[in-house]
Amino acid sequence: MRGLAVAGAAVVGFDPFTRSWAVTGSGRPLHGVPDLDGTLHTEGSPLDGAADDFGHIVHRRPAAVLRPGSVDDVVAMVRFCNERGIRVAPRGEGHATNGQAQVEGGLVVETSPLAAIGAVRPGGASGGGSVTVGAGARWSDVARAAIAHGLTPPVFTDYLELSVGGTLSVGGLGGQSHQHGAQVDTVLELDVVTGAGERLRCSPTRHRDLFLATLAGLGQCAIIVGATLRLVRAPETVRHYLLPYDDLRTFLEDQRLLAREQRFSYLEGQIAADASGAFNQYVIEAVAYGPPVGDAPDDARLLRGLRHAPAGVQTADLPYFAFLDRLAPAVAALKEAGLWAYAHPWLNLLLPGRAVLDLAGTLLDGLTPEDVGPGGVVLIYPLRREHLRTPLLRAPDDAVPYLMAVLRTAPPEDTATVDRLLAANRSAYETVRATGGTQYPVGSVPFGRADWRRHFGPAWSRFAEARRTFDPRGVLVPGQGIF
C-alpha cells in the first residue's frame, strides 16, 4: 500500500485489490474509488516518470498516476481527491523545468490521452475558423489538422511537441505574439474540471471569472481538459530571414521597429557568444508569410531601413509546416547527444522595453558559455503589450516589452552548477523586477508565496477569490507554490 499525501496532515493509502483507501493508522477504510475508463497506477514506471520533468532538477514522487480513458475519469478522481484533501496536478508532455507539475504523495493526472482533435470549422467570410481539441493534443498535431483545411492557430511556441493544456496554463508566447498576443489570447472557450471536481465550459461570456482564472492560471483553479481555439488563414509557404547584427542597441531598435510596423508575421532574435566567450553576436529571425495570406515576400520592402550587417544575411523559402517544425532536427540531435536529459535551469523574463538596452546589456555582460551550457540558447524578442489581454499573464506596463530567455543546460549530477545557475536566475529576476519587469513562469526562478503575490500584483485579489471559489480545499497543483 502506497501513501497518498493529504492536504493538511493525514496520509491515506490505496489498496488496488480491494479498491479502497484508508487513513494510515486510523483503521478507517475510505471506500468509493470510482470505476474508471482508464487506469490508475500506484507503482512502477508511471510514478517514476511523473516524479521528473524536462528540468531534471526537482523530483517529487506521486502516490498515483491517472491515465484517463475519458474526461469523466478526471472528474471522478478530482472529486474523489477533493473530498479527501488529496493534492492533484495535471501533466501534459512533462516539459516543465522546476517541478511545476509534480506532487509529492498525491495524484498526477496525465492529460496526454485526452488528445482528440475535433472537426475544423471554417469561419465563413472572415477566412478564419475554429477547432475544439483535447488538452493533451500536441500543437504539432493541431497544426497539421488545421493546415489541411487552409487554416492555422495564430501563435505557436517554438517547440511544437507541447500539449495545448500545458501552454494555455502558462501563456504560450512565440514569434507571432507581436501580432496576435499569446496563445491564451486566441482561446474561444475552455472545458475544465475545477478543484471541486465540477466540469464546466467557460468563455468570455460564460463563467468568465473561471475562464480568466484558468488561462495562464498555472492550474490553480481548474484542470484544462479541452479548448476551442481560434484559427486564421494559413500560408502555403514562408520566407525565413536571419539578419546578423554586431551592436546590441541597433539590434534591439530594429526589433522594436519591426514589432511596431508588423512587417513580418514572425519575429524573434538570438544572441550567441563569439570566440572569446562574449555574448555579442545578434541575429534577428523574421518570417514573412506568402500566399494565400499575403503577397509574395518582397525583400527590398521588408528589409528597408534595417541596419543589419550586410554580410551573412540568410534567406530560405519553406513550406509553412516545415517552418513551424524547424526545431525537430535540432531536438533529435540533442536527444542523440544525450543533452535532452541534461538539467534545464531556464531563465525566462519579460523586460520593459524602456529599459531593455540596459537590462539586456547587464544580463549579457555577466553571462558565459558555461552559464548557458551545451546546446543552450539565448533568445530575446519584442511583444506588443496591446495584444497581451489575458490578466494572469503578467507583462510589464510598456508598449513593447521583450521576452528574454536563457535556456540553460547542465549535467543533472552537477548539483553545484545547477544551484549556482538557480541563484543566478533569482539575481537576474531581481534586477529585472526592480525596473518593472516580470517572470514568464515556465522557467526555474526560486519563488515563494510572497513573490507570487507580488508577481500577480493587481490581479492577485481576483485570482485568490477564484481559487477560493473553484478550488476551495486547495488541492490543485501544489508544485507551483503559489497558495
Side-chain angles (χ1 to χ4, degrees):
M1 184 180 293
R2 183 173 297 284
L4 189 63
V6 177
V11 174
V12 303
F14 175 65
D15 185 334
F17 299 102
T18 64
R19 295 188 62 78
S20 64
W21 300 73
V23 176
T24 301
S26 73
R28 292 186 291 107
L30 295 177
H31 299 285
V33 174
D35 292 329
L36 300 172
D37 301 316
T39 54
L40 186 69
H41 299 268
T42 58
E43 60 185 6
S45 59
L47 274 64
D48 296 337
D52 193 17
D53 57 28
F54 184 63
H56 307 302
I57 298 169
V58 177
H59 304 278
R60 303 184 183 109
R61 188 176 177 84
V65 172
L66 173 65
R67 290 181 174 164
S70 65
V71 174
D72 289 342
D73 284 359
V74 182
V75 172
M77 285 306 301
V78 172
R79 188 171 295 169
F80 180 91
C81 290
N82 174 68
E83 290 169 353
R84 293 155 179 82
I86 298 166
R87 301 286 173 85
V88 181
R91 174 187 171 95
E93 291 298 313
H95 207 71
T97 67
N98 201 38
Q100 292 97 327
Q102 298 176 25
V103 53
E104 183 70 38
L107 175 69
V108 168
V109 177
E110 292 188 352
T111 63
S112 54
L114 307 176
I117 298 175
V120 174
R121 298 177 290 272
S126 68
S130 64
V131 64
T132 298
V133 306
R138 292 179 297 180
W139 284 100
S140 58
D141 294 325
V142 176
R144 289 187 184 97
I147 291 170
H149 295 268
L151 299 171
T152 181
V155 182
F156 290 95
T157 56
D158 286 335
Y159 182 52
L160 292 189
E161 305 307 321
L162 304 178
S163 70
V164 168
T167 65
L168 295 185
S169 294
V170 297
L173 293 172
Q176 302 92 346
S177 290
H178 73 289
Q179 286 195 353
H180 297 282
Q183 288 179 326
V184 288
D185 298 306
T186 70
V187 177
L188 303 177
E189 185 179 74
L190 290 174
D191 185 6
V192 305
V193 177
T194 70
E198 184 177 10
R199 183 178 182 180
L200 294 171
R201 294 188 180 276
C202 53
S203 71
T205 59
R206 182 182 185 185
H207 299 299
R208 177 179 172 83
D209 52 346
L210 178 58
F211 185 71
L212 295 179
T214 303
L215 291 172
L218 305 176
Q220 298 301 297
C221 299
I223 296 173
I224 297 172
V225 293
T228 300
L229 309 171
R230 178 169 63 88
L231 303 176
V232 297
R233 286 194 302 160
E236 295 172 359
T237 61
V238 307
R239 182 163 295 170
H240 183 264
Y241 298 81
L242 295 176
L243 309 174
Y245 287 76
D246 53 18
D247 174 71
L248 179 61
R249 179 188 295 273
T250 306
F251 165 75
L252 294 171
E253 289 178 351
D254 276 7
Q255 278 192 324
R256 183 192 301 269
L257 172 69
L258 294 177
R260 285 177 169 168
E261 294 187 353
Q262 300 194 15
R263 298 186 201 178
F264 292 96
S265 296
Y266 170 100
L267 176 64
E268 288 199 7
Q270 301 178 22
I271 306 174
D274 65 10
S276 72
F279 280 83
N280 58 14
Q281 306 295 298
Y282 317 102
V283 176
I284 288 179
E285 183 182 16
V287 174
Y289 288 178
V293 168
D295 297 330
D298 179 342
D299 294 346
R301 178 182 61 83
L302 290 168
L303 303 181
R304 184 177 297 122
L306 299 181
R307 295 164 291 170
H308 56 82
V313 173
Q314 300 178 43
T315 64
D317 292 325
L318 302 169
Y320 177 55
F321 185 80
F323 155 66
L324 294 179
D325 201 34
R326 66 200 179 282
L327 292 189
V331 170
L334 290 173
K335 291 180 178 179
E336 179 68 21
L339 296 176
W340 201 252
Y342 268 35
H344 295 93
W346 282 4
L347 174 66
N348 302 76
L349 301 171
L350 291 168
L351 283 52
R354 61 183 173 273
V356 67
L357 178 61
D358 289 341
L359 288 172
T362 297
L363 297 180
L364 292 171
D365 283 347
L367 197 63
T368 69
E370 291 73 24
D371 295 333
V372 178
V377 179
V378 180
L379 303 174
I380 186 166
Y381 57 89
L383 312 169
R384 291 280 294 273
R385 187 65 181 83
E386 63 188 290
H387 299 314
L388 300 174
R389 300 179 298 276
T390 300
L392 294 183
L393 179 55
R394 306 305 299 163
D397 183 14
D398 189 285
V400 185
Y402 283 70
L403 174 67
M404 184 169 184
V406 183
L407 307 184
R408 310 180 192 269
T409 71
E413 67 277 8
D414 187 356
T415 56
T417 294
V418 171
D419 288 346
R420 177 179 64 80
L421 296 177
L422 292 174
N425 287 353
R426 178 68 196 204
S427 177
Y429 165 73
E430 291 291 354
T431 298
V432 169
R433 185 190 64 81
T435 67
T438 62
Q439 177 196 182
Y440 179 45
V442 300
S444 302
V445 178
F447 245 43
R449 286 181 171 81
D451 295 311
W452 284 115
R453 183 164 188 156
R454 184 169 55 193
H455 169 81
F456 286 108
W460 174 261
S461 59
R462 288 191 177 182
F463 189 29
E465 177 60 29
R467 169 80 164 189
R468 289 189 291 269
T469 300
F470 298 108
D471 185 17
R473 297 198 67 178
V475 299
L476 289 182
V477 195
Q480 297 281 6
I482 297 175
F483 291 99

